[in-house]
Amino acid sequence: MELVKEILAQLRDGNYHVEEEIDGHSEEKIIYHLKIMEENDLVDVNLSEVINTRTGKEKEWMVGAVGGLTWKGHEFLDAAEHSSAWQQAKDFVREQGSNVPFAVLQKMMMAYIKQEAGLS
């Protein structure tokens, strides 16, 4: 989830370059995360599945273009940048063994922020 947060922040700030590593994560791992982020409507990205040229057999994802954050991506990043809500979500994931659906994390962070603001 830290990688997702960092990719979103870099996209928002206009500092994102697919070919660069982020916090020691490989290009392949970053592209995989972009794919799942696109599937969850966090980012606007054009991905193509291609044959791995090294092996000729394995398929891999290639990034055509990264458009930026969607509305949902902005909302997630806004919630994740609230430090205590983010820490609560990370602690919950750690307790659950990292098998927590994305939607649950986002709802958890939003509920925490609402509670802190006295809206619930």
Side-chain angles (χ1 to χ4, degrees):
M1 293 310 294
E2 288 289 342
L3 180 56
V4 169
K5 181 181 172 186
E6 183 60 31
I7 292 170
L8 290 173
Q10 287 192 21
L11 283 170
R12 179 200 56 207
D13 298 341
N15 299 327
Y16 182 74
H17 303 286
V18 175
E19 62 279 351
E20 294 179 9
E21 289 185 1
I22 297 176
D23 295 334
H25 296 286
S26 68
E27 181 180 351
E28 291 82 16
K29 188 170 188 175
I30 294 167
I31 290 172
Y32 171 76
H33 277 73
L34 280 169
K35 180 181 179 326
I36 60 176
M37 291 164 64
E38 189 269 335
E39 289 172 351
N40 283 284
D41 194 33
L42 295 177
V43 296
D44 180 23
V45 63
N46 182 357
L47 295 167
S48 302
E49 192 172 27
V50 296
I51 299 294
N52 184 318
T53 56
R54 295 179 300 272
T55 64
K57 296 178 183 178
E58 301 169 17
K59 291 184 179 180
E60 60 185 25
W61 291 97
M62 187 171 89
V63 178
V66 180
L69 301 183
T70 63
W71 184 269
K72 191 173 176 182
H74 279 284
E75 286 183 333
F76 178 82
L77 184 57
D78 288 346
E81 287 183 330
H82 187 283
S83 61
S84 48
W86 182 246
Q87 188 60 50
Q88 182 186 39
K90 288 190 330 183
D91 291 345
F92 182 76
V93 169
R94 198 173 3 263
E95 291 168 10
Q96 300 302 314
S98 75
N99 292 324
V100 180
F102 171 78
V104 171
L105 290 178
Q106 186 163 11
K107 286 180 183 177
M108 179 187 304
M109 287 188 295
M110 295 304 290
Y112 183 85
I113 293 167
K114 284 180 183 178
Q115 181 181 3
E116 267 197 352
L119 299 173
S120 61

